[in-house]
Amino acid sequence: MKRVLVIALTLTAALSAALFAGGGQQAGGGNVHAVVFKSTGNPFGEKLMDGFETGVKEQGGTVIRRAPDLPTAEAQIQIIDQLIAQKVASITISANDFDALQPVLTKAKNAGINIVTADSAVNAASRSLHINQADTKLIGETLVEAAFDQAGGSGEIAILSATSQASNQNAWIAVMEETLKQAKYANLKLVKIAYGDDLRDKSVSETEGLLASYPNLKVIVAPTTVGIAAAAKVITDRGLIGKVKITGLGLPSEMADYITNGSCPYMFLWNPIDLGYLASYAAKALADGAITGKIGDKFGGGKLGSYTVVNAADGGTEVVLGPPFKFEPSNINEWKSVY
Ligand code: RAM
């Protein structure tokens, strides 16, 4: 019975995703393309939107950049409603919730607006295509291996994430929890997942809370650029370099000092400018009706070359920018002025 239900749900999701992908045909508002990030004040989001803007301008279009003050679904719903009224051709969004945007995105689709997600996805039924920064499984596994290495193979580790609803962080954390079940990691203990909401002050206080509650903590893994910078600052300010190590996903420009001082021995990321740039080419191809976002669709990603749409782990479709890149003392200075 349960199996029948799962199959039925999967078919429903596939069908609605297929119907959704069809939205590309009716392209709405000329050549105006919107990009919506999770919240303001996040340098990663600014870089992503910079890349999107460059790509849209290269293709002769106009850009609307939006982000709410706080990283909530409600605030993004308001913004999307405004963009529907503005009759944009496409909306590219880094979503604050996997499911909650579905009604407003369906409304946008029915108005002929093409929906792309980049960085943080919505469910398959609510988008035509996701632009994934790197393979989800690879990111989660890479972070567990980094924690294992930096903890010396055993001991307590914690995760400092963004919001509890963030679909990208939640997907990576799900892989991390699964990976931690492997025999190799049996002596690593994940004691807590804390949420700094991609707000600097909250990420600082959550880090302080972890240190107070878990005096034997060896590693904090922060799969968010805001969280990792806040955590490394706390470790540095409190003179805990070497006792508690910080790793995760960080922007080189924000983390160079902490990689150099050893509070973060190494970390990973991808190029957020390229991520936004690639999304702009996907958005335009959808709006032009050149692709619909189905598996096997191919489109030119400008200076990044050509991309093919593949199956995403969440049942929808995606294109993957590339593998995560490791930043460490030997290369951080080359990258800190780039992004
Ligand atoms: C933060 C945001 C973003 C994420 C990066 C790694 O800037 O949460 O969505 O991809 O970290």
Side-chain angles (χ1 to χ4, degrees):
M1 183 62 200
K2 204 170 155 205
R3 193 146 171 264
V4 173
L5 186 66
V6 169
I7 292 170
L9 286 175
T10 311
L11 284 175
T12 312
L15 184 65
S16 44
L19 287 173
F20 198 88
Q25 314 295 330
Q26 336 164 351
N31 205 3
V32 180
H33 302 273
V35 59
V36 183
F37 192 66
K38 290 174 165 179
S39 61
T40 52
N42 180 341
F44 178 98
E46 292 302 323
K47 298 286 179 198
L48 187 155
M49 292 192 284
D50 288 349
F52 186 88
E53 184 162 346
T54 302
V56 168
K57 285 184 176 158
E58 268 177 19
Q59 299 172 93
T62 309
V63 176
I64 298 177
R65 295 168 66 132
R66 299 291 306 273
D69 290 342
L70 291 175
T72 67
E74 293 70 28
Q76 286 189 323
I77 289 169
Q78 279 187 12
I79 288 176
I80 295 164
D81 258 326
Q82 290 161 5
L83 293 171
I84 295 171
Q86 288 175 269
K87 297 187 167 35
V88 295
S90 75
I91 298 174
T92 294
I93 185 163
S94 171
N96 285 327
D97 195 290
F98 194 61
D99 294 312
L101 303 177
Q102 184 164 351
V104 78
L105 290 177
T106 304
K107 182 175 160 193
K109 179 237 165 181
N110 290 338
I113 298 172
N114 298 275
I115 307 301
V116 176
T117 50
D119 178 49
S120 185
V122 292
N123 63 35
S126 309
R127 67 179 200 242
S128 287
L129 182 61
H130 177 53
I131 314 300
N132 206 350
Q133 41 274 68
D135 181 74
T136 303
K137 190 156 180 278
L138 182 62
I139 296 172
E141 290 173 349
T142 301
L143 294 180
V144 168
E145 183 58 31
F148 176 79
D149 175 38
Q150 295 187 15
S154 66
E156 293 182 355
I157 64 167
I159 294 174
L160 173 68
S161 191
T163 70
S164 62
Q165 296 302 108
S167 46
N168 55 342
Q169 273 88 16
N170 284 350
W172 300 327
I173 291 170
V175 174
M176 289 177 74
E177 289 182 308
E178 211 37 53
T179 307
L180 282 166
K181 292 179 187 160
Q182 292 172 18
K184 175 176 182 185
Y185 304 118
N187 295 327
L188 274 189
K189 187 165 177 233
L190 175 60
V191 291
K192 168 114 181 159
I193 302 173
Y195 297 96
D197 292 351
D198 272 352
L199 302 172
R200 199 177 160 279
D201 290 352
K202 181 149 193 257
S203 302
V204 164
S205 59
E206 289 294 326
T207 304
E208 282 166 348
L210 288 172
L211 297 175
S213 304
Y214 304 99
N216 298 322
L217 201 58
K218 285 194 172 168
V219 177
I220 298 175
V221 184
T224 141
T225 59
V226 179
I228 195 174
K233 182 172 189 323
V234 171
I235 296 305
T236 301
D237 290 353
R238 288 187 166 213
L240 293 175
I241 295 175
K243 180 171 187 305
V244 183
K245 291 173 180 151
I246 307 298
T247 191
L249 305 174
L251 269 182
S253 53
E254 294 186 293
M255 290 297 292
D257 288 352
Y258 303 123
I259 289 194
T260 305
N261 77 13
S263 52
C264 171
Y266 58 84
M267 62 171 198
F268 302 85
L269 201 70
W270 35 84
N271 187 328
I273 307 167
D274 287 351
L275 184 61
Y277 179 88
L278 178 57
S280 79
Y281 274 83
K284 178 81 164 73
L286 283 162
D288 288 350
I291 62 168
T292 60
K294 68 175 186 321
I295 296 161
D297 273 356
K298 287 188 186 354
F299 64 94
K303 62 165 196 230
L304 297 175
S306 143
Y307 282 80
T308 303
V309 176
V310 296
N311 249 322
D314 62 11
T317 62
E318 67 181 19
V319 296
V320 179
L321 179 69
F325 187 81
K326 184 177 184 184
F327 296 97
E328 52 196 328
S330 63
N331 64 16
I332 191 66
N333 287 327
E334 289 164 43
W335 286 100
K336 67 181 184 191
S337 57
V338 185
Y339 56 86

